[in-house]
Amino acid sequence: LPQEHRSLLQKMKEGEAELARLRSVEGDKLAEQDRSAQLEKEVAMLREKIHHLDDMLKSQQRKVRQMIEQLQNSKTVIQAKDAVIQELKERVAYL
């Protein structure tokens, strides 16, 4: 009877140790799941920020292209007016 008692006590201790190990493993899994969920949120937030920055960059590029186009148009207009002024100067000099 004492030997059976010791044997049962030993089995109980082994069972408790196994339970503790399994609880620890479960705890680790939960911690990993929490960390994974947190990282997924961070990645989603970063994707959103990158998308927003890309949109801002495209908008700025569009504005710069428009400004360059306006400058080129203004340059063309100025060249045309310079040509008219030069022609008028020549007429005045002729007179």
Side-chain angles (χ1 to χ4, degrees), residues 7-18:
S7 174
L8 291 174
L9 268 176
Q10 182 62 31
K11 281 187 178 183
M12 185 184 77
K13 285 181 182 174
E14 289 170 3
E16 286 173 345
E18 179 70 10

Side-chain angles (χ1 to χ4, degrees), residues 11-27:
K11 281 187 178 183
M12 185 184 77
K13 285 181 182 174
E14 289 170 3
E16 286 173 345
E18 179 70 10
L19 252 176
R21 191 185 66 77
L22 288 173
R23 284 187 183 134
S24 171
V25 167
E26 276 304 304

Side-chain angles (χ1 to χ4, degrees), residues 55-70:
D55 287 348
M56 285 176 52
L57 181 62
K58 286 176 187 171
S59 174
Q60 291 297 322
Q61 288 172 337
R62 228 180 351 264
K63 287 178 185 176
V64 169
R65 279 195 298 272
Q66 288 172 350
M67 289 170 68
I68 289 170
E69 193 176 314
Q70 287 174 346

Side-chain angles (χ1 to χ4, degrees), residues 43-55:
V43 166
M45 188 177 68
L46 290 171
R47 274 196 187 112
E48 188 61 34
K49 283 184 179 180
I50 289 169
H51 181 70
H52 179 66
L53 289 173
D54 283 346
D55 287 348

Side-chain angles (χ1 to χ4, degrees), residues 31-92:
E32 286 175 7
Q33 286 174 350
D34 286 348
R35 181 68 179 138
S36 178
Q38 181 185 354
L39 288 172
E40 283 178 18
K41 284 180 188 175
E42 287 178 21
V43 166
M45 188 177 68
L46 290 171
R47 274 196 187 112
E48 188 61 34
K49 283 184 179 180
I50 289 169
H51 181 70
H52 179 66
L53 289 173
D54 283 346
D55 287 348
M56 285 176 52
L57 181 62
K58 286 176 187 171
S59 174
Q60 291 297 322
Q61 288 172 337
R62 228 180 351 264
K63 287 178 185 176
V64 169
R65 279 195 298 272
Q66 288 172 350
M67 289 170 68
I68 289 170
E69 193 176 314
Q70 287 174 346
L71 283 170
Q72 288 171 337
N73 290 342
S74 296
K75 190 175 177 183
T76 303
V77 168
I78 289 170
Q79 286 172 343
K81 288 185 179 182
D82 280 349
V84 170
I85 290 170
Q86 189 60 37
E87 185 184 333
L88 290 174
K89 281 182 180 177
E90 290 170 4
R91 281 187 190 174
V92 168

